[in-house]
Amino acid sequence: MNFTWGVSSSAYQVEGGWDADGKGPSIWDNFSHVPGNIKNGDTGDIACDSYNKVEEDVYLLRALGVKNYRFSLSWSRIFPSGRNNSINSHGIDYYNRLIDGLVANNITPIVTLYHWDLPQALQDIGGWESSALIDLFDSFADFCFQTFGDRVKFWITFNEPQVIAWAGYGAGTLPPNVNDPGSAPYRVAHILLKAHARVYHTYDDKYRASQGGVIALCPNIDWVEPKTPSDPRDIEAADRYLQFLVGWFTHPIFKNGDYPEVMKWKVGNRSELQNLPSSRLPVFTAEERDYIRGTADVFCFNSYTSKIVTHSTTRLRPFSYEYDQEVLTKVDSSWPSSAITGHRAVAWGLRRLLNWIKEEYGNPPIYIIENGVGIKTKSDVDDNTRIFYYKTYIDEALKAYKLDGVNLRGYNAWSFMDSFEWLNGYDPRFGLHQVDFDNPNRPRTPKRSAVYYAEIIRNNGIPLAHLCISIHALLRTEIVFHCVLQGNMVFA
Ligand code: NOJ
């Protein structure tokens, strides 16, 4: 039985030490330093101060009983200028101490190479719009494999590539705040895919034989349900939504090296109607398709919520990746809301999503890398809402595994501790541990959800007794059935 339970975080959200010991600035450092950009004027300058708290963090992870810890490397902490001609040994020491601490406690490191904090020096040459980044990212990844790969056996290239491409270069809400909804996202995604494939091949060619790890990318996925399931146009719209969101990256990697047919068709057709000389969706050469196909060993993803989709006739102008999808999304107002707009708790969506991945990509090994709920409050140590979220989502994951035969290999909670929630600052809290951001020592306190999650890990799922005891609290007849019919809902 090799199911892995873990918690997740990312460098900019927890580390702090934004300019400590020779670290270079990232696009997030600079963005958060501009007043008005982040709620309450918050920044990641100190964050949870994890840069100075390796021992504390490892201790808490051990107390939780997690089998893995997923974190990311800050590129500009290792290469302050983004390039391998400037190497910051203090940054390397920090990650070595963290990795050694994890390994000493039998906690597998899952390491993301890029969780949004691009070195500013590389933004200055065009960021992910520049194909020079393919080589530069490869040289960073190569260095990381060489330096940490003796102990790190699970690598993620990009966290949420769709967010990088769309929020960073289309809507422009996240750094580098490029507002070009019609074509930059497609060009950026094209470069991200090539960079991902390049790094995969570097691992394959130079490190796999001696290090024996796995490597993947980690898309964000919301499950979507057609508004009228008897209307084929809504069913198609729901599929189209998923293809534009996820298939954009995973169709090339897990299928045929190329974008989903529906994306090629829609963007191509609309570009023609817009009198453009060619499609806004770039084209891969046959050689590139070959190079990209098959460049993930496992299927990782983040998921928080579900939506309802209808087909829609969207306008042709302004050119936009959003309009290209020809869908409209909404939510059901009866779904419990959370601190994040658009994040509602819809646990059953996770089971459907897992089944969709299984069917669409031929039953790959799947890892849920992020799942959790944000709550808007300063102190939520007594966090029953979060316990409810985890209980119901994990139960649905278990159903997908036990009843539907989904090849699920791991579940990670987002997040390890309260941390910098991007544009929202420290307001919405996702942590299993509370962090006191008013105290310079950033003390961590386990919430009730941490105690609960530790118990799930210890039991490797939700044992029968627990399910039944909580039934009146949950009021979900579906779960009663599983209690009666399936016995223990644990991974076995
Ligand atoms: C996904 C992102 O990867 C993570 O950084 C973020 O904090 C969570 N979503 C919650 O919004």
Side-chain angles (χ1 to χ4, degrees):
M1 167 66 238
N2 53 3
F3 190 86
T4 181
W5 296 96
V7 288
S8 296
S9 74
S10 90
Y12 188 69
Q13 296 179 272
V14 299
E15 285 179 4
W18 78 277
D19 65 348
D21 305 333
K23 175 181 168 294
S26 78
I27 55 174
W28 268 96
D29 292 315
N30 290 346
F31 178 74
S32 74
H33 289 160
V34 177
N37 278 350
I38 312 283
K39 215 157 148 197
N40 302 322
D42 290 338
T43 72
D45 288 5
I46 304 174
C48 309
D49 200 24
S50 282
Y51 182 63
N52 294 304
K53 295 198 180 310
V54 170
E55 275 182 31
E56 288 90 331
D57 286 356
V58 172
Y59 178 87
L60 289 177
L61 291 163
R62 208 176 66 172
L64 262 184
V66 289
K67 309 281 183 260
N68 79 72
Y69 177 43
R70 182 275 200 146
F71 59 97
S72 78
L73 303 175
S74 157
W75 188 340
S76 64
R77 193 181 294 291
I78 295 176
F79 291 175
S81 69
R83 297 168 190 264
N84 63 6
N85 57 7
S86 66
I87 298 175
N88 176 23
S89 63
H90 299 288
I92 297 163
D93 288 349
Y94 165 63
Y95 292 117
N96 272 331
R97 275 185 285 122
L98 176 58
I99 294 166
D100 287 344
L102 295 173
V103 172
N105 287 286
N106 279 322
I107 300 167
T108 303
I110 298 184
V111 177
T112 309
L113 290 161
Y114 186 78
H115 199 121
W116 307 357
D117 46 353
L118 190 73
Q120 181 62 48
L122 301 186
Q123 191 56 49
D124 296 343
I125 59 162
W128 293 108
E129 288 187 276
S130 162
S131 52
L133 270 272
I134 301 170
D135 261 357
L136 290 164
F137 184 55
D138 183 52
S139 98
F140 171 61
D142 193 331
F143 181 85
C144 295
F145 297 150
Q146 198 181 330
T147 310
F148 307 118
D150 54 336
R151 290 150 293 155
V152 175
K153 307 295 174 190
F154 197 139
W155 297 95
I156 292 170
T157 53
F158 292 109
N159 178 67
E160 303 198 340
Q162 187 266 354
V163 172
I164 301 170
W166 171 243
Y169 294 82
T173 47
L174 300 184
N177 311 97
V178 176
N179 183 226
D180 177 4
S183 72
Y186 296 121
R187 285 187 280 109
V188 164
H190 210 65
I191 288 172
L192 294 178
L193 277 161
K194 288 183 188 178
H196 162 84
R198 176 73 171 278
V199 166
Y200 182 92
H201 286 293
T202 293
Y203 192 74
D204 242 14
D205 297 345
K206 294 174 67 174
Y207 300 99
R208 191 185 292 281
S210 57
Q211 298 185 353
V214 296
I215 175 161
L217 94 171
C218 188
N220 45 300
I221 319 184
D222 300 332
W223 173 245
V224 283
E225 199 65 22
K227 175 154 186 277
T228 311
S230 56
D231 184 345
R233 289 172 306 173
D234 281 359
I235 295 174
E236 275 175 32
D239 181 66
R240 209 158 54 237
Y241 179 94
L242 288 168
Q243 296 302 341
F244 270 84
L245 178 70
V246 195
W248 193 6
F249 300 93
T250 49
H251 194 282
I253 292 172
F254 288 88
K255 291 190 133 174
N256 62 359
D258 203 0
Y259 295 117
E261 283 305 314
V262 73
M263 277 188 88
K264 293 198 287 183
W265 166 252
K266 281 284 176 216
V267 185
N269 195 26
R270 290 170 63 93
S271 300
E272 211 175 300
L273 293 170
Q274 289 154 345
N275 295 319
L276 296 171
S278 60
S279 175
R280 285 176 284 110
L281 184 69
V283 177
F284 289 120
T285 64
E287 203 184 325
E288 288 167 342
R289 290 199 295 271
D290 257 12
Y291 191 70
I292 291 169
R293 188 178 359 101
T295 55
D297 303 312
V298 294
F299 193 108
C300 295
F301 73 99
N302 301 341
S303 190
Y304 290 86
T305 192
S306 296
K307 296 196 164 77
I308 294 168
V309 159
T310 53
H311 73 95
S312 151
T313 309
T314 53
R315 43 204 274 202
L316 280 173
R317 274 160 213 279
F319 308 159
S320 169
Y321 157 82
E322 264 184 350
Y323 296 154
D324 290 342
Q325 302 177 37
E326 297 182 0
V327 302
L328 257 185
T329 60
K330 32 178 140 204
V331 292
D332 183 326
S333 58
S334 74
W335 296 341
S337 59
S338 74
I340 305 285
T341 324
H343 277 199
R344 286 176 185 254
V346 196
W348 50 263
L350 180 62
R351 179 178 180 183
R352 294 190 184 196
L353 171 54
L354 287 164
N355 275 280
W356 180 81
I357 296 168
K358 173 183 176 222
E359 298 305 325
E360 182 78 8
Y361 300 109
N363 207 13
I366 301 176
Y367 291 83
I368 299 169
I369 294 291
E370 286 184 21
N371 177 240
V373 61
I375 295 167
K376 189 182 159 60
T377 164
K378 241 186 158 176
S379 167
D380 67 338
V381 173
D382 206 6
D383 56 345
N384 282 317
T385 312
R386 183 169 292 106
I387 292 178
F388 180 85
Y389 184 97
Y390 282 124
K391 182 192 285 277
T392 49
Y393 267 79
I394 291 170
D395 185 53
E396 293 296 325
L398 282 158
K399 288 183 203 166
Y401 172 86
K402 277 205 118 166
L403 309 179
D404 309 336
V406 171
N407 191 0
L408 185 61
R409 301 285 181 87
Y411 176 92
N412 274 36
W414 181 273
S415 66
F416 176 25
M417 64 180 93
D418 293 339
S419 63
F420 179 80
E421 184 51 31
W422 308 113
L423 299 180
N424 292 306
Y426 296 99
D427 223 341
R429 307 229 167 193
F430 274 89
L432 294 169
H433 295 89
Q434 176 176 294
V435 177
D436 181 354
F437 294 102
D438 296 329
N439 184 325
N441 292 323
R442 297 298 190 268
R444 291 98 157 97
T445 311
K447 303 181 189 177
R448 273 177 63 144
S449 57
V451 178
Y452 178 74
Y453 190 50
E455 201 174 311
I456 288 191
I457 297 175
R458 222 173 13 255
N459 290 310
N460 201 30
I462 308 175
L464 176 65
H466 297 236
L467 267 179
C468 292
I469 287 165
S470 58
I471 273 166
H472 56 283
L474 290 168
L475 289 176
R476 283 176 60 96
T477 43
E478 229 181 315
I479 290 178
V480 181
F481 271 128
H482 289 298
C483 259
V484 176
L485 298 175
Q486 300 301 325
N488 287 349
M489 287 302 277
V490 297
F491 289 97

